Each structure stands twice: as structure tokens, then as C-alpha cells.
């Protein structure tokens, strides 16, 4: 079975009952998590109660995408999990953030760290991390096997790299922050739901999953704006939503 489950969908900070960026990927028995923002770890443990993971991928160091990695670190360090170190794929700034919280403990005792951007083989899947424009070093993520691809932007400004990242993806998870004034910035670091639809269309993706909603934004309006630009199915990330990969619907 191949599926992705939304752990969190808010940008910047969590709304009541919601979490920040995070996705659990089940791929033929291989367990991968994409980002662990605020309040995602309890949802991850609700999805996989044993807490067993094969790998963690973090797109960048902003806490709404990585802060619960610290909780996972403590769980594995102090919770008696044992076993091999957990593969962690991330830009270098992520570890710097965690070291600020745990300066007296070696993070490498828990994590086997691999830098992003880069290309790796993870069990049954190929993982590619591509550099995207943001306030800090950021890697968009593409995972694929046997002709099925899942792509995830994390946070990004508009860039032609998005067409490569999401090329023919079965599901393209794209941030649609719709933050006031963003489109007037001289350097773009976030996107709108309209732009998410445009880049999903240019990538030739089959389905679009909008995420990273600014707290308080109208999610139905975001979906409607993306639908004006993208002819495929447009979904709004909602905590607990599971989307089957390679399926006609969710």
C-alpha cells in the first residue's frame, strides 16, 4: 500500500486543533515522515503507535517544519528504543536548530544524518532533494518508485525548479500560504494558492494537495483559486486526511 497522511497543515504556528507541516508516508511497508512541525509528533504516534520509522526528511530549519524532530530525538534517546540510528535527510541548518535545544547531547547518537539537496536510495524508493528559494536553505522533496511519484515543496517562492520537482507526480503537495503582501516582496519566499495551481499545471501533476495555510485563511477559497489554474483534483490538507498514491481518488 502507498499512501500519505497529513500530520499537520498550518504555516507559521498551529491553529486550534491543527498542527504545522508534517506528512507520514507509507510506501509498501516503508515508513517515512516529511517534516515535523509544531504538534506533529503526537499525531505521528497516533498514526504509527509503535513509533517505528525507517527515515525522516526535513525540508528546512524553520520550527514550523522541524521543531517536533526534537521530541522524536528525545523519545528515541530516552525511551529505550535501541536499534540502529534513524536516517535523517535534511539541510545543515536543521541540526543547528536542534543543537540549540540539546547542546550537551550528541544528536548523532540518534540520527544518521544525510545532507540535502541530494539524491538517495531509501528502501523501495528513490529520494531527490532539490534546492528551492526561501529565507533559509530549503529542499523540495520528490520520492518515486515504479512510475509513481510524490512531490512536496516545503516552503518556497515561485521558481522553475517546481516544474521539475513535481513533473508528472501522482500527488504534488504545495504550500499555499497566501500571506498578505507576499506577492509584493522584492524576493519571493512563499507562494499563493493561485501560484500553487499554476506550478502544478506546469509540472503536469495529476493531483494537487494544498498545505501550509496561514492561520485564519479560508481554505475553501484557496482550493477555488487553485482550481482556476489547475484542471486536476485539488485537495486541502486536513489533519488526518489520507491520500492513496496511484489511486483514482482519496
Amino acid at each position: 500500500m502507498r499512501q500519505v497522511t497529513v500530520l499537520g497543515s498550518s504555516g507559521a504556528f498551529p491553529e486550534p486543533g491543527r498542527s504545522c507541516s508534517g506528512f507520514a508516508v507509507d510506501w509498501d511497508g516503508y515508513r517515512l515522515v516529511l517534516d515535523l512541525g509544531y504538534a506533529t509528533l503526537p499525531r505521528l504516534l497516533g498514526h504509527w503507535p509503535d513509533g517505528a520509522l525507517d527515515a525522516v526528511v526535513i525540508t528546512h530549519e524553520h520550527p514550523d517544519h522541524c521543531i517536533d524532530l526534537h521530541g522524536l530525538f528525545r523519545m528515541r534517546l530516552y525511551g529505550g528504543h535501541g536499534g540502529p540510528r534513524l536516517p535523517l535527510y535534511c539541510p545543515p541548518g536543521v541540526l543547528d536548530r536542534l543543537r540549540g535545544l540539546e547542546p550537551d547531547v550528541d544528536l548523532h547518537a540518534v540520527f544518521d544524518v544525510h545532507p540535502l539537496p541530494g539524491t538517495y536510495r531509501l528502501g523501495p524508493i528513490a529520494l531527490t532533494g532539490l534546492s528551492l528559494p526561501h529565507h533559509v536553505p530549503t529542499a523540495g522533496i520528490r520520492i518515486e518508485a515504479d512510475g509513481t511519484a510524490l512531490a512536496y515543496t516545503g516552503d518556497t517562492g515561485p521558481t522553475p525548479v517546481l516544474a521539475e520537482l513535481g513533473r508528472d507526480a501522482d500527488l504534488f503537495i504545495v504550500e499555499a500560504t497566501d500571506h498578505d503582501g507576499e506577492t509584493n516582496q522584492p524576493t519571493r519566499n512563499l507562494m499563493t494558492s493561485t501560484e500553487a495551481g499554476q506550478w502544478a499545471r506546469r509540472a503536469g501533476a495529476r493531483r494537487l494537495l494544498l498545505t501550509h495555510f496561514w492561520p485564519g485563511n479560508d481554505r475553501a477559497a484557496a482550493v477555488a483559486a487553485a482550481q482556476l489554474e489547475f484542471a486536476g483534483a485539488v485537495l486541502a490538507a486536513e489533519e488526518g486526511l489520507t491520500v492513496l498514491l496511484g489511486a483514482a481518488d482519496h
Side-chain angles (χ1 to χ4, degrees):
M1 180 174 61
R2 299 175 181 178
Q3 63 182 37
V4 56
T5 298
V6 179
L7 303 177
S9 61
S10 293
F13 56 92
E15 296 182 87
R18 297 192 184 277
S19 307
C20 284
S21 298
F23 300 88
V25 180
D26 299 80
W27 197 293
D28 297 340
Y30 191 88
R31 294 177 170 185
L32 173 76
V33 64
L34 301 174
D35 280 347
L36 279 169
Y38 295 113
T40 53
L41 182 57
R43 294 183 187 276
L44 177 68
L45 296 176
H47 183 65
W48 292 318
D50 59 6
L53 290 170
D54 293 299
V56 176
V57 179
I58 303 293
T59 59
H60 65 287
E61 66 187 86
H62 283 158
D64 58 328
H65 291 257
C66 79
I67 198 65
D68 271 25
L69 183 62
H70 180 240
L72 180 63
F73 166 80
R74 283 188 152 243
M75 186 184 77
R76 295 183 73 91
L77 183 67
Y78 300 123
H81 284 262
R85 293 183 298 160
L86 179 62
L88 169 62
Y89 300 83
C90 63
V94 172
L95 285 188
D96 294 337
R97 296 272 179 159
L98 262 64
R99 287 190 188 101
L101 295 169
E102 293 281 2
D104 301 321
V105 181
D106 182 8
L107 301 176
H108 293 272
V110 168
F111 297 124
D112 179 18
V113 182
H114 305 270
L116 290 176
T119 301
Y120 300 95
R121 185 75 191 182
L122 283 66
I125 59 177
L127 180 146
T128 301
L130 299 178
S131 181
L132 295 176
H134 194 47
H135 301 281
V136 296
T138 297
I141 304 301
R142 181 182 176 93
I143 60 177
E144 55 192 322
D146 305 323
T148 299
L150 167 69
Y152 170 48
T153 65
D155 290 355
T156 181
T159 171
V161 178
L162 293 172
E164 178 184 356
L165 180 71
R167 181 70 61 204
D168 298 327
D170 181 62
L171 182 67
F172 198 6
I173 306 173
V174 183
E175 66 105 339
T177 309
D178 285 323
H179 188 225
D180 288 345
E182 175 61 29
T183 56
N184 297 322
Q185 297 295 321
T187 301
R188 295 291 308 283
N189 291 298
L190 295 168
M191 291 207 301
T192 68
S193 48
T194 295
E195 290 169 331
Q198 291 169 346
W199 286 107
R201 183 185 72 242
R202 294 175 191 178
R206 189 163 77 89
R207 294 177 294 174
L208 170 61
L209 179 63
L210 301 178
T211 190
H212 201 263
F213 298 102
W214 193 259
N217 278 7
D218 184 336
R219 298 183 176 210
V223 169
Q227 287 174 328
L228 293 176
E229 303 292 337
F230 178 67
V234 179
L235 307 172
E238 298 284 348
E239 283 72 7
L241 172 69
T242 293
V243 181
L244 299 180
L245 301 175
D249 50 30
H250 67 283

